[in-house]
């Protein structure tokens, strides 16, 4: 599946997958399981993506297999695919966000200044994604009853973000804080 890209066919919400970026870390595995729980609740397929350059391909199959096993243990009926895509994680996930319903990445960074590093995958993806992004820092495997938080200002992007936040809140049965 090297070099593949995600596109949406526009036929339904299910055409747009929830994408979980996986890199072999425990944080990514937990984020993938959380993404699976959300995908199941919003009736979307799950796509696990591992971004790697040529030097990292030897471990890519193991990374994807580990994530797939972790997800399928709890979500047997969820349509789940795995993909190895050439490139840096930030660039790959940003590109794939165009055809995604939601993008989830695991983060083991503390919520301090280290999370603001210019080269951070989390920062790259959240700044450039065209779909909602969740940077998951937790141990839970399913969405909680906590509200969805959305940042807003006065541009068109905020309108899109607000619409997405309310759609997810409705599907998950939670509130919204803007």
């Amino acid at each position: 599946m090297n070099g593949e890209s995600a596109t949406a066919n526009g036929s339904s919400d299910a055409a747009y997958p929830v994408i979980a970026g996986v890199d072999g870390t425990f944080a990514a595995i937990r984020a993938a399981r959380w993404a699976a729980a959300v995908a199941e609740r919003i009736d979307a397929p799950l796509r696990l993506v591992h971004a790697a350059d040529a030097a990292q391909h030897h471990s890519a199959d193991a990374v994807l297999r580990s994530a797939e096993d972790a997800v399928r243990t709890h979500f047997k009926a969820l349509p789940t695919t795995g993909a190895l895509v050439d490139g840096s994680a930030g660039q790959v996930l940003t590109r794939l966000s165009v055809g995604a319903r939601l993008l989830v990445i695991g983060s083991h960074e503390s919520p301090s200044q280290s999370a603001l590093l210019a080269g951070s995958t989390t920062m790259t993806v959240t700044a450039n994604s065209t779909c909602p992004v969740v940077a998951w820092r937790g141990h839970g495997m399913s969405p909680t009853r906590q509200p969805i938080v959305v940042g807003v200002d006065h541009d068109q992007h905020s309108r899109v973000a607000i619409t997405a936040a309310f759609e997810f809140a409705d599907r998950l049965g939670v509130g919204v804080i803007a």
Side-chain angles (χ1 to χ4, degrees):
M1 289 192 237
N2 202 11
E4 86 179 40
S5 64
T7 58
N9 66 20
S11 63
S12 70
D13 280 350
Y16 295 91
V18 170
I19 294 177
V22 295
D23 62 3
T25 63
F26 289 122
I29 296 295
R30 287 189 300 266
R33 287 189 297 202
W34 187 88
V38 171
E40 184 176 71
R41 287 175 80 179
I42 67 171
D43 195 28
L46 177 66
R47 185 165 188 222
L48 303 170
V49 175
H50 179 60
D53 61 29
Q56 299 167 320
H57 282 199
H58 66 279
S59 63
D61 286 337
V63 168
L64 283 169
R65 191 172 30 256
S66 175
E68 288 173 0
D69 289 347
V71 165
R72 288 195 174 116
T73 297
H74 300 283
F75 303 95
K76 292 173 180 39
L78 180 66
T80 303
T81 58
L84 167 63
V85 183
D86 283 329
S88 74
Q91 292 171 342
V92 166
L93 294 172
T94 297
R95 187 177 77 242
L96 295 178
S97 73
V98 172
R101 184 85 171 105
L102 176 70
L103 204 151
V104 180
I105 51 179
S107 179
H108 55 276
E109 300 167 347
S110 66
S112 66
Q113 290 181 333
S114 65
L116 300 176
L117 296 174
S120 167
T121 299
T122 302
M123 291 301 294
T124 299
V125 173
T126 57
N128 298 299
S129 177
T130 59
C131 73
V133 175
V134 172
W136 183 249
R137 289 186 185 112
H139 294 283
M141 259 184 20
S142 61
T144 66
R145 301 296 305 157
Q146 294 177 349
I148 292 177
V149 178
V150 60
V152 297
D153 58 20
H154 300 290
D155 66 6
Q156 179 62 27
H157 299 294
S158 286
R159 291 185 197 131
V160 172
I162 291 167
T163 300
F166 276 96
E167 287 174 5
F168 278 105
D170 182 55
R171 293 266 181 106
L172 298 173
V174 298
V176 174
I177 296 174

